Amino acid sequence: MIQSMDSNRLFHLRNPWLSLVLAVRGDGEGCDELLMAYLGPPLDEPGAVLPLMQTWEGASFDSLRQILPYACPTEGRGDYRPCMVSARSLSGLNCTELFFESFRIEAGKPGLTGLPASYTEQAEEADTLIITLKDPLTNLTAELCYTLYRERPVLAMSARYLNAGTEELTLEAAHSACVTLPGRYDMIHLHGAWARERAPERVPPAVLTRTLSSARGASGHEHNPFVALAAPGTTEFQGSCLGLALVYSGSFSISVDENAYETTRLLAGLNPRCFSWRLLPGESFQAPEALCVWSEEGLNGMSQAFHSLLRERVCRGHWRDQERPVLINNWEGTYFDFDHDKLMAIARSARDAGIELFVLDDGWFGQRDNDLCSLGDWVENRRKLPRGLKGLGEEINALGLSFGLWFEPEMISPDSDLYRAHPDWCLHAGERRRSTARHQLILDMSRTDVQDYVISAISGVLRSAPIGYVKWDMNRNFKETGSASAVRQEEVSHRYILGLYRVMEEITSAFPEVLFEGCSGGGGRFDAGILYYMPQIWTSDDSDAVERLFIQYGTSLCYPVSTMGAHVSAVPNHQVGRVTGIGMRGDVALGGNFGYELDLSAQSPEDLAAIREQVQLVKNIRRTTQRGVFTRLLSPFEGNVAAWQFADEDRVILCAYRILAKPNPAPVRIRMQNVPQGLYRTADGSEISAGSLMNAGVCPDFPRGDYASCVMVFERKN
Ligand code: DGJ
């Protein structure tokens, strides 16, 4: 519901979980500023914010500007906190004032041109308020878009900037969203590196500006475009928090600024370090969307709202609501060393185990026997695959498995036919040395001719063979971010992402039945932007079961289980050398889109028997693991035992993991949470009630030894 009150000077967006109040504050002479007067649990009367606003007015002028919660703070007018907009005129002036001009209310949610965004299927799902602000001197206009979902604690925000004046302007910052809250908050973010992505860090309040960012051209391994502000004391199960996820896959910035007036500002958008945008008269710039969740039910409440939003209203297409297939990927099983017969041997073992999809990873094209060459030459290697992709795919299909293929569409090897033909097609900075990483350069996706090539090359392969799945990899980050064709080099970083989104849109809509999985050196581009095109992403190149407990636990703070690729791999594990049992490896991979990544044809009969059982279990319960409510129970970051649960109307599942064995240990009892009312059948045929699962709890029966796991499925009886 959106109400406009007080002669259109107060706007109240409200649903059962949250209220947003925007207020126009002015001197009555046309200098009306827009404030975010309130964001929090629902208000009965928006007028309740007026006394708070009056206390602000008591501040001295200089303090006032540091206290007022401007909805769209601008550079150069004495709000010294990080600003939403920085627009420089040709003469070099950087001073903008945006005053309230008009508003409109729409049912549903408008899309964002050229960018991924959350959406509605019916107009009744959401209401949108669009407020226009304008600078009276330059005529720079900002359209702030606020969509409140009716049945979710979710507010989507974005901004479009238009030069309605007669002079060129340069946007040096053009953020997506600004939220200013009174008070002090813990900041929770996800950080990491290759093979150890998305570890949560909780930082107590501090009078500082803290910024998470990427300048890599991808959202990156280092920081994820997600943050939560939690009231101190908020736990997984109780307390208030605000989560924000940016729907963008390139260089981003999210900053949290707390100042001396106990005012906290959250600002999210493109990273100003890698961004500058010339706005000629009549031109506009669309900033990406930021999704905000308000939770009064702790961090799990926030995560669950993100999970259903991302799964149901960011992911799209045929596979959005489908059970995902159990797959086998040959990467860790063979690396580059494979041929048709070896792949078929793995595929036959996969068939025997009940696996549904065979994925051929890197190395099937050009002359690629290592990572030194051939990216860009998307032509099958007939030496390795004498019957081609078509022959291989058909033989795999004949076994009853579907066939999937790896690509790295955005890359070009200097040693490739593509590079020899088009040396100017990579990102490069004029005559400066072109530096490679993993021996490769990046295709200049800001160019339409390059985008067209990628669309036609990938589509050609997809048409040439029975391919039902694509893994879309991206294994290096930006350096020398320039383009041979760009006039505005400073825009290349963002134009690359716009080009990438165009390519992803065209390919995924031309092949609607293909299941696409994103990837970037593991989980280096795990963001809501990619999920708009691809409903799942490879979570990390670290496939060790213990490491994965941490990575998947952290990732779940924002992202649903149905989006996280999780595979059982060989031991000793290739990343850390650890030996874990097949049971533990399977039970951990259950907390994601389940698959295998090893040479199945070389496993022991005992492990193969266990694998057959695992695959059957996954098929029985995946509706619940992929679409049910996921709750974190015990954190591996805080103790030796980790646990999470899944719940839907059919069953609840407890997954518990004990990392190290201890002598004479304390008993472990785990209380399940929010179990739907009813009676449940346990594995031994006895019955247990929802109340007992939650109050008396469950004692996992861990096997002896290190790295032990226990998965308990409780089937609902009524
Ligand atoms: C990085 C990915 O994360 C791996 O899974 C694998 O596909 C390799 N690239 C292949 O080069």
Side-chain angles (χ1 to χ4, degrees):
M1 178 199 72
I2 299 183
Q3 289 169 291
S4 139
M5 312 158 81
D6 193 19
S7 314
N8 296 333
R9 295 177 74 81
L10 201 66
F11 302 93
H12 184 202
L13 294 79
R14 183 198 146 129
N15 70 13
W17 299 273
L18 73 94
S19 275
L20 168 69
V21 180
L22 295 161
V24 178
R25 168 189 182 272
D27 57 7
E29 292 175 14
C31 300
D32 289 339
E33 297 165 318
L34 185 71
L35 305 181
M36 185 175 282
Y38 177 86
L39 176 63
L43 292 177
D44 293 332
E45 345 172 285
V49 303
L50 294 176
L52 178 63
M53 290 177 66
Q54 274 145 20
T55 65
W56 297 334
E57 298 299 336
S60 74
F61 180 77
D62 184 55
S63 321
L64 185 63
R65 290 214 168 273
Q66 317 317 315
I67 293 173
L68 287 180
Y70 295 109
C72 187
T74 52
E75 207 64 73
R77 290 289 298 153
D79 176 341
Y80 300 113
R81 294 168 284 180
C83 282
M84 180 117 158
V85 188
S86 169
R88 200 176 285 281
S89 71
L90 269 182
S91 70
L93 270 177
N94 189 353
C95 181
T96 302
E97 290 182 293
L98 291 171
F99 297 130
F100 180 80
E101 178 93 353
S102 61
F103 75 98
R104 61 182 201 275
I105 293 172
E106 292 179 6
K109 180 172 188 300
L112 267 57
T113 312
L115 285 168
S118 62
Y119 59 90
T120 53
E121 287 192 332
Q122 313 289 336
E124 302 75 53
E125 287 178 25
D127 302 284
T128 298
L129 171 67
I130 299 168
I131 294 189
T132 303
L133 310 176
K134 195 167 195 173
D135 185 309
L137 283 183
T138 62
N139 283 323
L140 175 69
T141 300
E143 261 186 20
L144 307 180
C145 186
Y146 300 92
T147 298
L148 188 65
Y149 280 85
R150 291 191 190 169
E151 299 299 328
R152 302 170 187 275
V154 176
L155 174 72
M157 291 189 256
S158 62
R160 195 173 80 94
Y161 303 94
L162 167 75
N163 184 349
T166 52
E167 262 199 44
E168 176 180 328
L169 293 169
T170 299
L171 294 176
E172 293 181 348
H175 282 95
S176 304
C178 176
V179 171
T180 308
L181 298 175
R184 315 189 70 199
Y185 299 87
D186 291 351
M187 173 183 175
I188 302 172
H189 68 106
L190 301 173
H191 67 94
W194 173 78
R196 48 187 175 88
E197 295 89 342
R198 289 174 297 286
E201 182 175 53
R202 183 166 183 154
V203 193
V207 188
L208 285 173
T209 306
R210 288 172 287 188
T211 303
L212 319 170
S213 68
S214 161
R216 296 167 175 271
S219 43
H221 294 89
E222 210 166 3
H223 289 146
N224 192 263
F226 159 81
V227 75
L229 296 181
T234 296
T235 67
E236 283 283 18
F237 304 104
Q238 52 199 357
S240 337
C241 59
L242 170 77
L244 180 145
L246 196 64
V247 191
Y248 190 62
S249 313
S251 301
F252 72 93
S253 148
I254 296 178
S255 56
V256 177
D257 174 86
E258 186 190 319
N259 68 10
Y261 303 95
E262 296 193 3
T263 296
T264 302
R265 173 174 290 171
L266 172 57
L267 197 66
L270 301 187
N271 186 348
R273 227 182 109 193
C274 327
F275 171 82
S276 173
W277 202 267
R278 237 181 286 169
L279 217 51
L280 298 180
E283 286 185 348
S284 66
F285 176 79
Q286 175 66 61
E289 177 167 277
L291 298 168
C292 283
V293 164
W294 188 273
S295 166
E296 287 292 302
E297 285 156 358
L299 298 172
N300 267 310
M302 173 199 69
S303 301
Q304 287 160 1
F306 272 121
H307 294 171
S308 65
L309 175 77
L310 294 172
R311 204 169 54 215
E312 295 159 9
R313 292 294 178 268
V314 173
C315 293
R316 299 174 298 165
H318 174 78
W319 283 98
R320 186 188 75 176
D321 301 330
Q322 302 297 314
E323 291 181 11
R324 306 294 163 73
V326 177
L327 67 79
I328 171 93
N329 176 305
N330 73 309
W331 178 243
E332 286 198 19
T334 66
Y335 295 105
F336 294 104
D337 181 18
F338 60 82
D339 60 16
H340 180 99
D341 293 343
K342 193 163 183 178
L343 297 176
M344 284 310 299
I346 298 176
R348 274 189 291 276
S349 317
R351 184 252 340 255
D352 295 344
I355 292 171
E356 299 158 302
L357 164 65
F358 178 94
V359 179
L360 172 53
D361 210 278
D362 195 354
W364 57 266
F365 51 92
Q367 307 305 317
R368 193 145 163 109
D369 289 327
N370 49 44
D371 59 13
L372 296 174
C373 69
S374 298
L375 292 169
D377 298 345
W378 300 113
V379 177
E380 63 217 345
N381 179 321
R382 285 274 170 174
R383 181 177 43 80
K384 288 180 174 177
L385 305 176
R387 277 163 256 174
L389 287 172
K390 185 163 186 289
L392 178 68
E394 285 171 354
E395 275 185 53
I396 286 173
N397 286 173
L399 294 175
L401 279 76
S402 53
F403 175 53
L405 199 59
W406 177 97
F407 290 92
E408 198 175 359
E410 299 152 68
M411 296 293 149
I412 181 167
S413 304
D415 181 4
S416 66
D417 293 342
L418 186 67
Y419 191 75
R420 284 181 277 277
H422 298 284
D424 58 337
W425 272 16
C426 63
L427 288 179
H428 63 284
E431 295 307 308
R432 193 173 292 282
R433 186 174 60 91
R434 300 176 183 191
S435 41
T436 54
R438 208 195 187 204
H439 318 286
Q440 62 201 54
L441 295 162
I442 305 181
L443 278 173
D444 178 0
M445 300 292 278
S446 73
R447 291 173 64 142
T448 318
D449 51 359
V450 173
Q451 296 162 22
D452 291 342
Y453 165 78
V454 173
I455 293 167
S456 111
I458 305 300
S459 305
V461 177
L462 295 186
R463 267 186 223 105
S464 74
I467 294 165
Y469 161 106
V470 166
K471 178 173 173 187
W472 186 301
D473 205 349
M474 195 272 190
N475 284 307
R476 65 156 287 187
N477 292 143
F478 287 15
K479 296 184 239 181
E480 300 115 28
T481 312
S483 166
S485 80
V487 186
R488 304 175 181 179
Q489 295 290 344
E490 66 279 19
E491 297 177 6
V492 169
S493 178
H494 180 55
R495 287 192 186 278
Y496 176 101
I497 298 292
L498 295 177
L500 172 68
Y501 286 153
R502 180 200 153 211
V503 170
M504 287 186 168
E505 179 69 30
E506 298 226 356
I507 295 180
T508 54
S509 47
F511 298 92
E513 311 237 312
V514 172
L515 172 59
F516 284 83
E517 174 155 344
C519 176
S520 178
R525 203 165 57 183
F526 205 119
D527 57 67
I530 293 297
L531 291 176
Y532 185 70
Y533 304 97
M534 311 189 173
Q536 56 191 61
I537 302 176
W538 179 228
T539 313
S540 174
D541 274 346
D542 191 341
S543 60
D544 171 67
V546 176
E547 289 296 304
R548 273 302 188 112
L549 275 181
F550 292 83
I551 295 169
Q552 292 169 203
Y553 198 94
T555 304
S556 78
L557 219 59
C558 180
Y559 302 98
V561 162
S562 65
T563 65
M564 294 184 217
H567 300 171
V568 173
S569 62
V571 288
N573 174 266
H574 293 193
Q575 291 78 40
V576 296
R578 187 178 283 125
V579 176
T580 52
I582 189 75
M584 172 78 169
R585 281 176 276 154
D587 289 348
V588 174
L590 258 179
N593 274 320
F594 191 89
Y596 292 87
E597 187 156 334
L598 38 71
D599 182 354
L600 261 187
S601 62
Q603 302 306 304
S604 69
E606 298 74 38
D607 278 4
L608 281 174
I611 287 171
R612 268 194 297 279
E613 275 180 32
Q614 284 173 349
V615 172
Q616 196 47 55
L617 173 68
V618 170
K619 288 178 179 172
N620 292 345
I621 63 173
R622 67 182 154 191
R623 218 167 62 87
T624 310
T625 57
Q626 292 170 6
R627 304 202 54 80
V629 177
F630 174 85
T631 306
R632 292 178 299 274
L633 298 173
L634 293 175
S635 168
F637 294 93
E638 288 167 15
N640 190 38
V641 176
W644 52 59
Q645 71 169 52
F646 302 92
D648 66 7
E649 63 285 357
D650 296 331
R651 61 181 69 85
V652 291
I653 303 164
L654 175 72
C655 301
Y657 310 91
R658 190 191 57 212
I659 299 174
L660 292 179
K662 303 278 178 198
N664 190 17
V668 177
R669 179 174 73 103
I670 301 172
R671 291 177 62 184
M672 297 183 75
Q673 300 286 323
N674 295 323
V675 176
Q677 277 313 316
L679 272 183
Y680 290 81
R681 212 177 36 249
T682 64
D684 65 12
S686 59
E687 283 178 5
I688 188 163
S689 69
S692 300
L693 290 170
M694 291 189 285
N695 299 327
V698 177
C699 300
D701 186 13
F702 292 117
R704 266 176 74 80
D706 290 341
Y707 321 129
S709 60
C710 176
V711 169
M712 299 167 88
V713 181
F714 302 95
E715 297 285 348
R716 190 138 174 242
K717 284 195 69 184
N718 45 7

